Amino acid sequence: MSSALVLPGDSIPLPPSSKPVVLGPGLAASSSRIRSPSSDAVPSIISTRLGTLSSFKGKEKSEQLWVEGSSKRYIPSQKDMVLGTIIARHAEGYRVDLGSAQMASLEGLAFEGATKRSKPNLKVGTLVYARVSLSTRDLEPEIECFDPNTGKAEGFGELTGGTMVTCSLQLCRHLLNPKFPVLSTLASTIPFEVAVGLNGRVWFKTEAVSESIAVKRVIEGIDSGEIKPEKGDVDKAVKSYLA
């Protein structure tokens, strides 16, 4: 699907594909149907924000659709991968800051292998990598630290050490695109672990402080526009910061 400017309330027909469609930020399912010139009425979706309609066909057998806008505040959307900071503990779990208008709820059982007798004991200030499991207009979002399809952590959970950088929502979504060369170019020079949250946060962990500083400066430079997100420019910037 080609990119197109959409307004709040615009009806958008589902793409002509047999693949299931995953709705991302800025889109909501509609109960109405749109008449197609070449076929009968087809289901539609509604845009909830101003921006550019974007799509991505990943390795999974599905197509992702979302509205790319200039919003600076994160709005939780189901199935989003996010980085959150635990700000409070209670009997059943934790309250987590995602940088959105509402705090998120994280149950103590929402971890791989967690039981009522054996649950993670996380402290206030702990950083976690999670997935949004529930997001509605009237209730606070819920997150989980495991993949519900496998029951395994799959990279979700507590993040220890490392550095977290706050950047634009748009850059984070680009970083999760395998065709976006920034992370692969950085990895060719600096070995590091990374977790990218669609809520405008990037966590990474390197072996040396100088490498962490270099990665941080490159991400911030690309987000500000000082560094172009091209392989040659990123490689040049990394080497200059490590020199």
Side-chain angles (χ1 to χ4, degrees):
M1 177 180 294
S2 59
S3 299
L5 182 67
V6 294
L7 301 173
D10 281 356
S11 294
I12 303 166
L14 290 174
S17 172
S18 58
K19 292 184 177 182
V21 176
V22 178
L23 301 184
L27 295 174
S30 172
S31 58
S32 62
R33 302 174 76 87
I34 292 179
R35 180 70 60 180
S36 172
S38 58
S39 62
D40 295 331
V42 296
S44 68
I45 51 183
I46 295 294
S47 170
T48 60
R49 68 170 67 163
L50 171 65
T52 303
L53 181 64
S54 305
S55 64
F56 173 70
K57 296 181 181 179
K59 294 182 180 180
E60 299 180 357
K61 297 179 180 180
S62 63
E63 181 171 1
Q64 301 174 19
L65 293 179
W66 72 93
V67 176
E68 190 83 43
S70 58
S71 174
K72 294 183 179 180
R73 177 175 288 277
Y74 172 67
I75 301 175
S77 181
Q78 196 162 343
K79 296 186 179 181
D80 276 0
M81 295 178 290
V82 293
L83 284 164
T85 303
I86 293 177
I87 59 171
R89 300 173 51 171
H90 53 79
E92 301 300 324
Y94 310 91
R95 289 178 61 79
V96 183
D97 172 33
L98 300 180
S100 58
Q102 291 180 304
M103 298 297 108
S105 174
L106 173 62
E107 291 189 5
L109 296 176
F111 294 82
E112 178 186 356
T115 65
K116 290 184 177 181
R117 292 186 176 182
S118 177
K119 296 186 292 186
N121 183 22
L122 305 181
K123 299 179 180 179
V124 172
T126 298
L127 186 66
V128 293
Y129 192 42
R131 171 183 177 274
V132 178
S133 57
L134 177 65
S135 177
T136 62
R137 179 179 298 179
D138 301 319
L139 298 175
E140 67 179 14
E142 296 180 6
I143 61 177
E144 57 193 8
C145 289
F146 70 100
D147 188 330
N149 296 321
T150 63
K152 303 296 183 180
E154 303 292 352
F156 295 117
E158 179 183 3
L159 298 176
T160 57
T163 303
M164 187 180 76
V165 178
T166 301
C167 52
S168 66
L169 305 183
Q170 291 73 26
L171 177 58
C172 287
R173 189 168 291 278
H174 289 315
L175 290 174
L176 287 172
N177 186 341
K179 296 181 180 180
F180 197 65
V182 174
L183 292 182
S184 59
T185 303
L186 284 170
S188 66
T189 304
I190 301 174
F192 64 96
E193 299 176 47
V194 66
V196 180
L198 290 173
N199 55 332
R201 297 173 179 178
V202 179
W203 172 90
F204 55 89
K205 186 176 183 179
T206 66
E207 297 179 354
V209 175
S210 59
E211 294 174 338
S212 293
I213 294 174
V215 174
K216 181 176 184 293
R217 287 181 175 178
V218 168
I219 292 176
E220 292 177 338
I222 291 172
D223 196 34
S224 65
E226 295 178 3
I227 301 174
K228 294 182 180 180
E230 306 294 339
K231 186 178 185 304
D233 295 274
V234 173
D235 189 53
K236 181 179 179 181
V238 172
K239 291 179 179 178
S240 67
Y241 291 139
L242 291 176

